Amino acid sequence: MLIRVKRRSDPKPSELTPKSVYEDRRRFLRTAAVAGASAAFPGLLVSGAARAGRKLPRVRHNPDYSTDETWTDYDDITSYNNFLELGTGKEDPKENAHRLKTRPWSVAVEGECERPGVYDLEDFVKPHRLEERVYRLRCVEAWSMVIPWVGFELRTVLKAARPTSKAKYVAFESVYDPKNLPGQRRRILDWPYKEGLRMDEAMHPLTILAVGLYGEVLPNQNGAPLRVVVPWKYGFKSAKSIVRIRLVEKQPPTTWNTLAPDEYGFYSNVNPEVDHPRWSQKKERRIGEFFKRRTLPFNGYADEVAHLYAGMDLRKYY
Amino acid sequence: MRNFSSSRWLRFGLKPAVFLLALAPIGLVVWDAWQDALGANPIEAVTHRTGDWTLRFLLLTLGITPLRRITGWRWPMRFRRMLGLFAFFYATLHLATWLVLDQFFDWQAIVEDIVKRPYITVGFTAWLLLVPLAATSTRGMMRRLGSRWVRLHRLVYLVAVLGVLHFWWLVKADVLEPAVYALILSALLGYRMFANRRTRLRSPVTA
């Protein structure tokens, strides 16, 4: 396990926030007002009024698991999304964000475990201390961002459910609501969206369930109200708007892998050495930058996760 | 009704208007770049927009002949070359965006992509095939090449097919948009096959 000592040179989160955010006066005022309100009413998230843009209460920045790279601009993170339920264009999810109904919302934890259950979102999130984790996100389309997520480790949820010895994989299922979600009216993908992880991947401390970003309630276009974030894998592995977490014995079918198995593997670890059949994965464009960067193995998290795949042929298990 | 085939009206009215209109898409790209309105990934936005307009101008160019044949109007023919050259113009911008803004002259990556990625292979081939067509688009070249000019310029059919294929092959899941281009292209090419066969049947020489 990784133990990183916090260096004194490590910047505080406030120093990392792009200047443009602070310069945007309207936004600053709104944030300040909301922050004041949530200090007075710490239960804001657990009230039915939790909406994107509201400051999340009592979030602790976790420097051990955060990169000190410059955060991608808030507007870019929230206007450039692959969320096909809300449309196929990159800006569609923002435009259609209001069509995703995040309340009421329940999450089922089920399958190979001793304590399955269906929880109301608020009850599901309440026991957890929210942490800020600044992660790199590398999309399979060769662009990347740095996102300050707010969430908690998935493993705490899994442990609480007491997995049986048969639990070898975790399957995630995203929202299915074709009445409201414009993208689900056509079978672009085999809805609902499904993803999955091997048990040790799901139990890894880097794997989190996110409920916010930039210290605020997760905007709908980013997968509200609850999403997985697995920073060493291509972005599509981090399923959005989760309604079901299922512990299973066999490797579960996943959406992109089912659609094009030669292009999207079950593992889909970020790997500059294994190209997507249609494009190179050697480099990536960090959103907000002009020159491409070299893509790092496991998206720069090799020290933390490479051992999970010791002895595996990563060309075969791409 | 206005007489559209009047030479003066065409040359000094309609043609400059169409010319300016055809420049509007790139004008909008420049304007959006200036206004910082190209979104989170501006290079991708420019690539997509120049690519879209290449295909649109190719289809517009291929629409001229059917339009003339169906309506009997002769004046649309006066726009065919201009539209074709605009297709080449946008294709060149599209290619240049990729070479300069996207890859930034990383020749190794560029050559690798052209060789290894089928969608880039066909896209690049389509652009290459457009070069001789643009180069021989002048009146002088038409005269010099005679009947060979017509045969050479049939390459545009192949270019359009490769262009649509290029789009189709790069899409991740939703092929709706390239399918629309493919449908229009099939109609335009299908019309030619149909029309040519009818002419041949009617002509006593080949019958």
Side-chain angles (χ1 to χ4, degrees):
Chain A
M1 195 186 122
L2 166 101
I3 298 169
R4 236 173 67 187
V5 181
K6 186 177 160 66
R7 283 158 291 164
R8 241 186 322 160
S9 60
D10 279 347
K12 285 183 302 231
S14 59
E15 295 176 276
L16 293 167
T17 307
K19 226 172 135 213
S20 60
V21 170
Y22 285 116
E23 281 171 354
D24 186 337
R25 189 161 172 272
R26 261 191 316 172
R27 182 178 167 72
F28 177 78
L29 288 176
R30 192 192 63 191
T31 309
V34 172
S38 56
F41 309 100
L44 204 62
L45 169 72
V46 293
S47 81
R51 280 209 324 263
R54 298 226 176 190
K55 198 87 187 159
L56 285 163
R58 290 171 300 158
V59 176
R60 189 178 63 99
H61 178 75
N62 184 331
D64 298 343
Y65 290 114
S66 290
T67 169
D68 52 14
E69 289 162 276
T70 310
W71 300 3
T72 300
D73 199 83
Y74 179 88
D75 291 334
D76 290 341
I77 294 174
T78 55
S79 68
Y80 191 75
N81 308 98
N82 281 326
F83 194 1
L84 269 59
E85 286 85 340
L86 293 175
T88 50
K90 288 280 188 297
E91 297 184 0
D92 293 349
K94 183 182 182 179
E95 200 164 303
N96 295 323
H98 61 282
R99 295 174 184 269
L100 172 63
K101 307 295 172 209
T102 59
R103 295 295 186 286
W105 193 276
S106 63
V107 184
V109 181
E110 57 184 38
E112 299 294 347
C113 61
E114 288 167 20
R115 290 184 177 171
V118 180
Y119 306 91
D120 189 61
L121 179 74
E122 276 67 37
D123 301 330
F124 186 78
V125 175
K126 209 189 290 178
H128 303 281
R129 177 74 190 265
L130 297 183
E131 274 186 17
E132 178 170 78
R133 302 274 187 107
V134 186
Y135 284 166
R136 289 176 288 274
L137 173 108
R138 170 60 158 80
C139 178
V140 73
E141 296 167 358
W143 52 266
S144 64
M145 294 183 178
V146 174
I147 305 179
W149 300 108
V150 177
F152 47 92
E153 290 175 5
L154 172 65
R155 62 177 174 172
T156 55
V157 171
L158 298 178
K159 277 184 193 161
R162 297 216 183 143
T164 67
S165 59
K166 279 185 174 170
K168 301 278 198 289
Y169 293 88
V170 182
F172 305 99
E173 195 180 297
S174 297
V175 59
Y176 183 66
D177 185 12
K179 261 203 201 115
N180 289 310
L181 302 173
Q184 287 186 334
R185 279 173 218 152
R186 287 194 298 130
R187 269 182 64 101
I188 310 162
L189 296 177
D190 186 13
W191 309 116
Y193 193 85
K194 290 171 219 62
E195 256 311 330
L197 295 170
R198 212 169 58 187
M199 200 62 185
D200 55 345
E201 299 175 324
M203 293 294 283
H204 194 281
L206 278 173
T207 305
I208 59 168
L209 287 171
V211 294
L213 58 81
Y214 260 88
E216 299 174 351
V217 170
L218 200 61
N220 287 5
Q221 61 268 36
N222 295 88
L226 182 79
R227 65 168 297 170
V228 189
V229 179
V230 197
W232 70 93
K233 293 175 179 283
Y234 292 119
F236 70 88
K237 289 296 293 180
S238 297
K240 299 184 177 82
S241 305
I242 297 286
V243 296
R244 197 180 303 278
I245 299 171
R246 191 176 173 82
L247 293 143
V248 293
E249 192 176 4
K250 297 216 166 64
Q251 181 180 307
T254 56
T255 299
W256 284 101
N257 179 246
T258 310
L259 182 83
D262 56 325
E263 299 194 333
Y264 311 101
F266 174 79
Y267 287 93
S268 284
N269 295 316
V270 174
N271 189 345
E273 298 308 316
V274 177
D275 288 344
H276 184 286
R278 287 184 280 160
W279 55 82
S280 164
Q281 297 290 26
K282 285 196 185 71
K283 292 186 181 179
E284 66 199 49
R285 170 160 291 112
R286 177 69 52 88
I287 296 302
E289 293 180 356
F290 176 77
F291 292 105
K292 287 186 178 174
R293 298 170 165 250
R294 294 202 157 282
T295 289
L296 301 171
F298 299 105
N299 200 21
Y301 298 96
D303 286 350
E304 289 92 331
V305 300
H307 69 273
L308 301 178
Y309 311 99
M312 274 174 73
D313 180 357
L314 294 177
R315 286 191 174 277
K316 192 177 164 204
Y317 298 101
Y318 53 91
Chain B
M1 203 186 115
R2 184 102 209 184
N3 181 7
F4 279 112
S5 47
S6 130
S7 188
R8 274 177 66 86
W9 161 248
L10 262 174
R11 254 175 97 183
F12 301 110
L14 209 52
K15 258 196 160 169
V18 172
F19 185 88
L20 286 177
L21 204 63
L23 280 174
I26 188 61
L28 276 174
V29 168
V30 172
W31 173 257
D32 283 347
W34 180 260
Q35 295 290 313
D36 197 15
L38 287 171
N41 195 344
I43 296 171
E44 183 189 69
V46 175
T47 309
H48 287 175
R49 279 162 68 166
T50 49
D52 285 344
W53 283 102
T54 303
L55 286 177
R56 287 168 197 163
F57 275 102
L58 275 174
L59 294 184
L60 282 173
T61 311
L62 289 173
I64 295 291
T65 300
L67 180 69
R68 190 205 57 182
R69 292 228 204 152
I70 290 165
T71 60
W73 299 336
R74 292 184 58 82
W75 61 268
M77 290 300 277
R78 305 278 298 267
F79 291 92
R80 193 171 67 172
R81 170 168 54 191
M82 192 207 283
L83 293 175
L85 283 171
F86 267 111
F88 178 65
F89 171 71
Y90 282 101
T92 306
L93 285 176
H94 181 63
L95 176 67
T97 307
W98 179 62
L99 294 177
V100 182
L101 298 181
D102 192 38
Q103 300 282 10
F104 200 70
F105 308 109
D106 181 348
W107 294 111
Q108 197 196 329
I110 289 165
V111 171
E112 233 180 73
D113 270 358
I114 292 175
V115 176
K116 276 169 79 176
R117 321 288 168 202
Y119 88 91
I120 294 181
T121 314
V122 298
F124 186 70
T125 308
W127 178 82
L128 275 182
L129 293 176
L130 274 177
V131 176
L133 303 195
T136 57
S137 64
T138 59
R139 222 171 265 272
M141 284 307 259
M142 278 177 94
R143 236 192 337 262
R144 238 170 293 165
L145 289 170
S147 67
R148 282 175 303 164
W149 188 92
V150 178
R151 262 185 290 154
L152 176 66
H153 279 251
R154 285 200 186 120
L155 271 178
V156 73
Y157 305 144
L158 179 61
V159 169
V161 170
L162 293 177
V164 171
L165 208 57
H166 168 68
F167 190 12
W168 195 293
W169 281 349
L170 71 85
V171 166
K172 264 170 78 194
D174 186 13
V175 292
L176 180 68
E177 240 188 293
V180 170
Y181 284 102
L183 198 71
I184 297 171
L185 179 61
S186 329
L188 293 173
L189 296 184
Y191 171 80
R192 284 172 167 80
M193 283 203 278
F194 172 74
N196 288 347
R197 206 172 47 189
R198 264 202 353 194
T199 344
R200 229 176 306 152
L201 285 175
R202 262 189 281 161
S203 137
V205 185
T206 49

